[in-house]
Amino acid sequence: MKKLVALIIMLGLVAAPLAASVHPGRIDANGGHTCRTNCAKWGLKDGEYHYHNGGSTKTTQPAPTKPATTKPAQNKLPGTLKVTVTKVVDGDTFKAKVNGKEESIRLIGVDTPETVHPNKPVQPYGPEASAYTKKRLNGQTVTLEFDVQQRDKYGRLLAYVWLGNAKNPKAEMLNQTLVKEGYAQVATFPPNVKYTDSFVKLQKQARDAKKGLWGEK
């Protein structure tokens, strides 16, 4: 009886690895197949492709699938960018070639009197501000400096405009000059507030000196 029990145990030990090495499923021409049922029992993942060689199971990576197509995000521009001005719209807006495409660019932190607004009349000192910006920008290569938010709700680029290299301590920022000379007043729109303090100081100086739009009527 003891011999019979021992024989049964030995047969069980031999059969166990064989059972673990194979499982139901149609084998393809490559000698493998995809696990679809009871995969965990065989140490596999659902849908995992594997094959059998000589009674031992060898798993491979799942069959490759076509990556999902996603809509590309709008490219974020670098912190500064050199562009060539193609057209001045008014005192605080112009157009320039950016990466081969003409873009509208709105100066950050300043607002000049309206001259081309479809629903507003030409405002006092608007033509002077527009003429000044045209004189300074037409055909020029300038450096755009971006803040936290690069575009407004109209899709326009928002920038500080440097007449030269923005990293040069002596470089001139047109936004500041417009406020300093009284062609624009401060218009702050968070989160683009990097130079707001300097704009406010320059506006006070222009107002005290009655420059430009602050002059006596």
Side-chain angles (χ1 to χ4, degrees), residues 91-171:
D92 54 32
T93 309
F94 65 96
K95 295 186 178 183
K97 285 285 186 179
V98 180
N99 294 334
K101 176 185 176 183
E102 189 174 60
E103 296 261 20
S104 290
I105 299 162
R106 176 66 163 80
L107 275 66
I108 296 176
V110 302
D111 185 39
T112 60
E114 295 291 350
T115 59
V116 294
H117 196 285
N119 301 319
K120 294 181 181 180
V122 174
Q123 296 178 334
Y125 220 72
E128 289 86 345
S130 181
Y132 182 79
T133 299
K134 286 180 181 178
K135 181 177 71 173
R136 300 303 306 275
L137 290 187
N138 263 341
Q140 297 298 311
T141 296
V142 299
T143 300
L144 306 182
E145 179 186 357
F146 301 107
D147 208 327
V148 177
Q149 182 181 354
Q150 289 192 343
R151 293 182 184 273
D152 64 11
K153 62 182 181 180
Y154 305 108
R156 299 178 300 184
L157 287 172
L158 303 172
Y160 305 106
V161 180
W162 294 89
L163 307 177
N165 188 342
K167 296 181 179 180
N168 186 339
K170 296 183 179 180

Side-chain angles (χ1 to χ4, degrees), residues 3-18:
K3 291 182 178 181
L4 180 58
V5 172
L7 179 60
I8 292 173
I9 293 172
M10 290 179 63
L11 289 174
L13 293 174
V14 171
L18 291 176

Side-chain angles (χ1 to χ4, degrees), residues 51 55 94 96 150 177 179-180:
Y51 56 92
F94 65 96
Q150 289 192 343
T177 300
V179 176
K180 179 182 177 182

Side-chain angles (χ1 to χ4, degrees), residues 2-207:
K2 291 181 178 180
K3 291 182 178 181
L4 180 58
V5 172
L7 179 60
I8 292 173
I9 293 172
M10 290 179 63
L11 289 174
L13 293 174
V14 171
L18 291 176
S21 64
V22 295
H23 58 88
R26 180 174 294 179
I27 305 299
D28 61 22
N30 296 319
H33 65 124
T34 300
C35 182
R36 301 191 183 279
T37 58
N38 300 322
C39 301
K41 178 179 178 182
W42 310 106
L44 302 170
K45 296 179 180 179
D46 290 345
E48 183 172 335
Y49 182 85
H50 60 285
Y51 56 92
H52 301 274
N53 288 328
S56 62
T57 301
K58 182 178 180 181
T59 60
T60 66
Q61 295 294 328
T65 58
K66 186 177 180 179
T69 302
T70 57
K71 185 178 180 180
Q74 188 176 44
N75 291 334
K76 184 177 177 64
L77 296 169
T80 59
L81 186 68
K82 279 192 174 184
V83 300
T84 299
V85 178
T86 57
K87 179 183 179 181
V88 173
V89 178
D90 60 14
D92 54 32
T93 309
F94 65 96
K95 295 186 178 183
K97 285 285 186 179
V98 180
N99 294 334
K101 176 185 176 183
E102 189 174 60
E103 296 261 20
S104 290
I105 299 162
R106 176 66 163 80
L107 275 66
I108 296 176
V110 302
D111 185 39
T112 60
E114 295 291 350
T115 59
V116 294
H117 196 285
N119 301 319
K120 294 181 181 180
V122 174
Q123 296 178 334
Y125 220 72
E128 289 86 345
S130 181
Y132 182 79
T133 299
K134 286 180 181 178
K135 181 177 71 173
R136 300 303 306 275
L137 290 187
N138 263 341
Q140 297 298 311
T141 296
V142 299
T143 300
L144 306 182
E145 179 186 357
F146 301 107
D147 208 327
V148 177
Q149 182 181 354
Q150 289 192 343
R151 293 182 184 273
D152 64 11
K153 62 182 181 180
Y154 305 108
R156 299 178 300 184
L157 287 172
L158 303 172
Y160 305 106
V161 180
W162 294 89
L163 307 177
N165 188 342
K167 296 181 179 180
N168 186 339
K170 296 183 179 180
E172 177 188 356
M173 184 205 295
L174 182 62
N175 311 50
Q176 290 178 329
T177 300
L178 289 171
V179 176
K180 179 182 177 182
E181 299 301 326
Y183 290 107
Q185 57 185 322
V186 177
T188 302
F189 296 96
N192 293 346
V193 296
K194 184 175 181 180
Y195 295 103
T196 296
D197 290 346
S198 70
F199 293 161
V200 171
K201 290 178 181 178
L202 291 171
Q203 177 170 278
K204 185 179 184 305
Q205 293 172 10
R207 179 181 289 172

